[in-house]
């Protein structure tokens, strides 16, 4: 039996979930096609998804195509839920990218295609909604090739475009030979000699599609079913089957975690090697935590079925692993977790309603973050507040509704603010010596902070001998350095820097006669964890740091005669156009804008452009804050920048 793990991706409202329903119906898995508008689709199972008519969480459903079992993963289309898409990408064998024949290439379409190409995931394109008024063919193919920067092969033509009777005539388009010959010397020779055969073309198409060199384009309608049979044939014949040795060492990846009716964790895992069986004791996660799998189910014909094992290539639902998290490796790790999309750049504070139980709110937010690791929580014990990081305003609305519907906790939010970072601007060093005032800790720690290359993160190094003291003490220093850099001089995360340990020292284990270990005379890990924030804060203060705000690159296409109204608004919101191009009666502006202003611009654009403006933006880089006061972020630690306050909190005494 061949297996294929297939992702369905698209910009929101391109018809992705409707296509999933049609595929299941064509495969005989369901008797009646569900409707997004009616809220009865197979993959949108959350009440909130059915109410809003959008996909929020990825869902897996299986269907057969002759001797191939396809595990189809429906993913969210809205950019606020890009974290869900990111986790799915690592488990796919192939993908179908859905494009609307009416709206064409949209912002999220380009983001997804760039990522699929970078990861070399074989991808078919399905142009949906050919039965809708305004549907396009020739100019849409040109736009797909140009805006997606993709080598595309049309897999047929369309009759009755834009009508309910629209249909597809399958077959390779006239441009197929030229496109495929660019990557195939044998085909190129046949093309020059005019001896190209259909079999040669079809073989080259399958080979190059599986290598993600070209992308077949199918036209059709998920509503009427036109073109869907041809797409199913393409899925079977052109996309690669799942690989993996069922007899090899156990290796898999968790891409989704949900809670069962009893509150137990259920992990969705793609197995790449070996076979996972019920009652197996396995290791998972970076720390090598152990757990016992109590039950296993796999996907088959539209539902999940209890079974004894999950072999390589399949996706299974695993119970019994209480400590498992999204992104964890099972057994032998394949590779480090790689982020394909930018992290959240916005943050808001959750405000409990008048009757809200703070303990229940904390538990609910923790569970939400557990299901979405890119959505970080930040607890402020002093102010009794929790901040949550976000991609956008829609996500905030969904969190609010989820807390109310699933957990019975009503909340509001403060104004959304950008998530800034800090970078050191110079070099600074500091040291605290063991048994010397004013250091109350039995530890010597010296640290130097200096700027690193943009994008380098935090690097920790040693200028002292590794054998100068127990390794556990060095580990305590490094772990505390990374934790402390979560809040810099202005309260933001410090990154792109090198921290070097320049001094070390400790008091060896000592004891009184006839007595045990004396903590008052001997260094412990707590001493190093206690003194490191003080040293690092002083070194950072001497180095100085600069706050950087997130910047988005933007592209706006609007009627040329609306530029007079648009440009002043862009300038007022600190958007800086870098290039301007005019194409007939329309104009395209590209530039950069602070992330904090994106939502405001999106709201104003329709009014400024008579409803004809198209906005596209994505995180690009961090830039120094150059306007107004430097944004400060309230601290949630013991504040090592204030020595007296810190020591009162940590040691309950002042040195």
């Amino acid at each position: 039996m061949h297996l294929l793990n297939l992702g369905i991706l698209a910009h929101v409202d391109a018809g992705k979930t409707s296509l999933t329903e049609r595929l299941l119906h064509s495969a005989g898995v369901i008797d009646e096609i569900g409707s997004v508008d009616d809220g009865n689709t197979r993959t949108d199972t959350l009440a909130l998804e059915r109410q809003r008519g959008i996909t929020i969480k990825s869902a897996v459903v299986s269907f057969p195509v002759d001797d191939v079992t396809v595990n189809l993963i429906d993913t969210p289309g809205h950019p606020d839920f890009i974290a869900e898409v990111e986790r799915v990408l690592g488990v796919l064998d192939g993908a179908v990218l859905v494009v609307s024949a009416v709206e064409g290439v949209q912002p999220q379409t380009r983001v997804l295609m760039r990522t699929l190409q970078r990861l070399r995931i074989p991808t078919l394109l399905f142009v949906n909604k050919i039965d809708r008024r305004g549907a396009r063919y020739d100019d849409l193919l040109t736009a797909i090739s140009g805006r997606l920067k993709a080598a595309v092969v049309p897999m047929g033509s369309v009759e009755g475009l834009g009508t309910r009777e629209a249909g597809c005539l399958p077959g390779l388009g006239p441009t197929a030979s030229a496109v495929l010959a660019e990557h195939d010397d044998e085909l190129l020779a046949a093309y020059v000699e005019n001896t190209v055969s259909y079999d040669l073309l079809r073989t080259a198409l399958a080979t190059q599609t599986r290598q993600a060199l070209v992308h077949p384009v199918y036209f059709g309608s998920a509503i009427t079913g036109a073109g869907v049979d041809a797409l199913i044939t393409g899925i079977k014949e052109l996309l690669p089957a799942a690989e993996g040795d069922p007899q090899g060492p156990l290796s898999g990846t968790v891409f989704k975690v949900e809670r069962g009716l009893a509150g137990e964790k259920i992990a969705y895992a793609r197995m790449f090697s070996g076979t996972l069986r019920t009652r197996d004791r396995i290791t998972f996660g970076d720390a090598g935590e152990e757990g016992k799998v109590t039950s296993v189910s796999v996907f088959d014909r539209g539902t999940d079925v209890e079974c004894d094992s999950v072999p390589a290539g399949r996706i299974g639902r695993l119970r019994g692993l209480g400590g498992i998290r999204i992104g964890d490796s099972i057994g032998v790790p394949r590779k480090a977790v790689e982020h394909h999309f930018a992290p959240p750049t916005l943050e808001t504070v959750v405000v409990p309603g008048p009757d809200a139980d703070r303990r229940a709110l904390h538990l609910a937010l923790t569970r939400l973050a557990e299901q979405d690791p890119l959505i970080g929580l930040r607890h402020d014990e002093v102010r009794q507040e929790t901040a949550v990081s976000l991609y956008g305003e829609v996500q905030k609305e969904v969190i609010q509704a989820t807390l109310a519907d699933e957990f019975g906790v009503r909340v509001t939010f403060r104004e959304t603010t950008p998530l800034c970072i800090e970078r050191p601007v110079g070099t600074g060093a500091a040291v605290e010596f063991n048994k010397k005032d004013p250091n109350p800790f039995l530890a010597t720690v010296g640290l130097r902070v200096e700027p690193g290359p943009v994008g380098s993160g935090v690097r920790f190094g040693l200028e002292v001998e590794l054998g100068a003291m127990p390794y556990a003490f060095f580990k305590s220093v490094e772990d505390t350095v990374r934790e402390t850099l979560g809040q810099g001089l202005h309260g933001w995360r410090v990154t792109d820097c090198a921290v070097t340990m320049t001094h070390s020292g400790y008091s060896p284990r000592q004891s009184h006669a006839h007595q045990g270990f004396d903590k008052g005379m001997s260094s412990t890990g707590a001493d190093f964890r206690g003194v490191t924030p003080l040293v690092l804060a002083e070194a950072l203060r001497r180095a100085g740091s600069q706050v950087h705000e997130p910047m988005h690159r933007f592209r706006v296409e609007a009627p040329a005669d609306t530029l007079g109204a648009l440009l002043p608004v862009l300038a007022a919101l600190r958007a800086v156009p870098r290039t301007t191009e005019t194409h007939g009666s329309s104009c395209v502006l590209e530039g950069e804008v602070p992330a904090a202003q994106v939502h405001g611009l999106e709201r104003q654009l329709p009014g400024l452009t008579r409803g004809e403006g198209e906005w596209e933006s994505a995180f690009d880089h961090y830039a120094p804050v150059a306007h107004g006061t430097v944004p400060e972020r309230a601290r949630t630690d013991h504040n090592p920048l204030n020595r007296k306050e810190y020591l009162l909190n940590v040691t309950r005494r002042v040195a």
Side-chain angles (χ1 to χ4, degrees):
M1 177 183 65
H2 294 292
L3 294 165
L4 170 64
N5 296 296
L6 178 72
I8 301 283
L9 301 92
H11 186 97
V12 66
D13 289 336
K16 175 174 44 60
T17 300
S18 297
L19 177 60
T20 299
E21 290 290 309
R22 175 61 67 174
L23 290 171
L24 295 177
H25 182 267
S26 298
V29 171
I30 57 177
D31 297 327
E32 185 176 349
I33 296 176
S35 166
V36 173
D37 293 335
D38 295 339
N40 58 357
T41 59
R42 183 62 62 98
T43 52
D44 284 347
T45 56
L46 297 179
L48 191 58
E49 290 178 315
R50 296 184 170 183
Q51 291 167 15
R52 298 182 66 102
I54 61 173
T55 301
I56 297 171
K57 296 290 183 183
S58 58
V60 184
V61 66
S62 179
F63 66 90
V65 180
D66 297 332
D67 62 339
V68 178
T69 295
V70 179
N71 287 326
L72 189 150
I73 308 175
D74 186 14
T75 63
H78 199 286
D80 281 14
F81 308 108
I82 196 68
E84 281 290 320
V85 180
E86 172 167 274
R87 293 191 287 272
V88 168
L89 290 175
V91 305
L92 297 182
D93 302 306
V96 173
L97 181 62
V98 184
V99 180
S100 168
V102 179
E103 288 83 9
V105 176
Q106 295 170 280
Q108 189 74 346
T109 318
R110 297 180 68 193
V111 171
L112 293 170
M113 191 61 180
R114 281 197 300 265
T115 308
L116 289 166
Q117 289 176 319
R118 188 169 70 249
L119 298 177
R120 301 194 66 79
I121 295 176
T123 303
L124 311 181
L125 279 79
F126 183 75
V127 178
N128 192 24
K129 304 182 182 180
I130 63 169
D131 57 318
R132 292 266 300 275
R133 181 180 299 174
R136 296 171 290 150
Y137 182 85
D138 290 326
D139 65 326
L140 183 54
L141 278 173
T142 302
I144 289 174
S145 178
R147 295 194 64 190
L148 296 184
K149 294 180 173 58
V152 297
V153 177
M155 300 300 291
S157 56
V158 178
E159 288 184 322
L161 186 67
T163 69
R164 187 71 179 178
E165 291 72 36
C168 300
L169 297 176
L172 289 173
T175 61
S177 298
V179 173
L180 294 169
E182 291 186 17
H183 306 285
D184 188 318
D185 291 341
E186 180 185 356
L187 182 60
L188 179 60
Y191 180 67
V192 171
E193 296 169 3
N194 199 26
T195 58
V196 175
S197 67
Y198 176 81
D199 288 342
L200 184 61
L201 271 181
R202 192 74 188 185
T203 300
L205 177 66
T207 300
Q208 295 182 32
T209 301
R210 289 169 185 158
Q211 295 173 347
L213 296 173
V214 301
H215 306 285
V217 182
Y218 295 85
F219 283 76
S221 168
I223 298 300
T224 67
V228 173
D229 287 341
L231 174 64
I232 292 175
T233 301
I235 290 171
K236 175 191 172 185
E237 297 180 355
L238 301 180
L239 294 179
E243 297 180 349
D245 180 8
Q247 308 303 320
L250 189 68
S251 179
T253 299
V254 175
F255 66 92
K256 178 178 178 178
V257 173
E258 64 183 18
R259 293 273 179 174
L261 296 177
E264 77 281 13
K265 277 189 180 180
I266 304 172
Y268 287 63
R270 156 77 191 266
M271 303 308 299
F272 292 94
S273 175
T275 300
L276 179 63
R277 297 177 175 82
T278 305
R279 293 184 294 280
D280 276 355
R281 291 199 66 85
I282 62 171
T283 59
F284 57 86
D286 295 337
E289 187 176 344
E290 286 195 2
K292 181 179 179 180
V293 179
T294 57
S295 75
V296 166
S297 59
V298 296
F299 295 91
D300 186 43
R301 297 191 67 85
T303 185
D304 62 299
V305 180
E306 291 284 337
C307 64
D308 295 328
S309 62
V310 186
R314 295 208 77 153
I315 291 174
R317 298 174 83 231
L318 317 178
R319 284 180 165 87
L321 307 175
I324 203 156
R325 298 175 303 172
I326 292 170
D328 278 353
S329 293
I330 292 176
V332 179
R334 294 182 67 232
K335 59 182 179 180
V337 176
E338 179 186 355
H339 292 309
H340 312 304
F341 302 108
T345 57
L346 303 172
E347 184 179 60
T348 185
V349 173
V350 182
V351 180
D355 301 324
D357 182 337
R358 288 183 178 272
R359 185 175 298 177
L361 173 60
H362 179 80
L363 175 62
L365 287 171
T366 301
R367 287 199 172 181
L368 286 181
E370 167 187 283
Q371 297 173 22
D372 199 340
L374 288 187
I375 306 307
L377 297 180
R378 187 171 183 266
H379 299 291
D380 186 338
E381 298 297 337
V382 176
R383 297 166 186 81
Q384 290 294 296
E385 293 177 348
T386 300
V388 58
S389 54
L390 302 165
Y391 280 98
E393 296 297 317
V394 172
Q395 189 180 18
K396 185 162 69 173
E397 296 171 17
V398 167
I399 291 174
Q400 184 179 37
T402 303
L403 290 172
D405 296 345
E406 295 187 18
F407 299 96
V409 180
R410 301 198 176 278
V411 301
T412 56
F413 297 94
R414 291 190 194 152
E415 183 182 1
T416 303
T417 57
L419 268 173
C420 300
I421 63 169
E422 293 183 45
R423 289 183 174 130
V425 294
T427 299
V431 62
E432 297 266 353
F433 291 100
N434 185 12
K435 297 180 180 178
K436 286 190 178 181
D437 286 339
N439 180 10
F441 302 100
L442 293 177
T444 293
V445 172
L447 297 171
R448 183 176 67 249
V449 177
E450 50 198 330
V454 172
S456 62
V458 175
R459 293 179 297 167
F460 181 82
L462 299 176
E463 277 187 1
V464 294
E465 292 292 336
L466 189 58
M469 63 182 187
Y471 174 74
F473 293 162
F474 285 113
K475 189 71 168 67
S476 294
V477 172
E478 180 177 357
D479 290 347
T480 307
V481 163
R482 296 187 183 279
E483 180 183 348
T484 304
L485 288 177
Q487 301 180 72
L489 301 181
H490 300 277
W492 304 102
R493 177 175 62 91
V494 182
T495 187
D496 298 339
C497 64
V499 179
T500 306
M501 190 170 182
T502 58
H503 296 74
S504 67
Y506 74 109
S507 295
R509 183 183 180 94
Q510 298 183 41
S511 60
H512 297 291
H514 310 296
Q515 294 181 6
F517 172 54
D518 186 352
K519 289 185 179 179
M521 301 170 60
S522 312
S523 297
T524 66
D527 288 300
F528 287 89
R529 289 191 296 271
V531 74
T532 297
L534 285 174
V535 178
L536 183 59
E538 183 58 31
L540 190 60
R541 196 197 319 266
R542 294 174 182 177
S545 72
Q546 188 171 35
V547 176
H548 292 62
E549 62 181 334
M551 302 292 291
H552 281 220
R553 63 179 181 276
F554 74 85
R555 180 183 186 276
V556 59
E557 185 170 351
D561 61 358
T562 65
L563 279 184
L566 183 59
L567 288 173
V569 174
L570 290 174
L573 294 176
R574 296 195 285 131
V576 180
R578 299 296 186 191
T579 62
T580 306
E581 294 181 4
T582 301
H583 304 282
S585 61
S586 67
C587 185
V588 176
L589 296 176
E590 293 187 1
E592 58 186 47
V593 58
Q597 309 296 345
V598 169
H599 184 57
L601 274 171
E602 288 176 329
R603 286 185 302 179
Q604 294 187 56
L605 189 67
L608 295 169
T609 61
R610 301 191 298 271
E612 299 179 43
E614 293 183 10
W615 174 268
E616 177 182 336
S617 73
F619 170 79
D620 188 62
H621 66 284
Y622 288 95
V625 174
H627 297 82
T629 58
V630 175
E632 300 281 338
R633 193 189 198 195
R635 303 191 71 90
T636 59
D637 58 6
H638 293 307
N639 191 15
L641 295 173
N642 185 322
R643 187 182 189 91
K644 181 177 180 180
E645 177 185 338
Y646 178 82
L647 292 177
L648 278 170
N649 287 322
V650 175
T651 68
R652 300 301 174 189
R653 61 191 176 92
V654 181

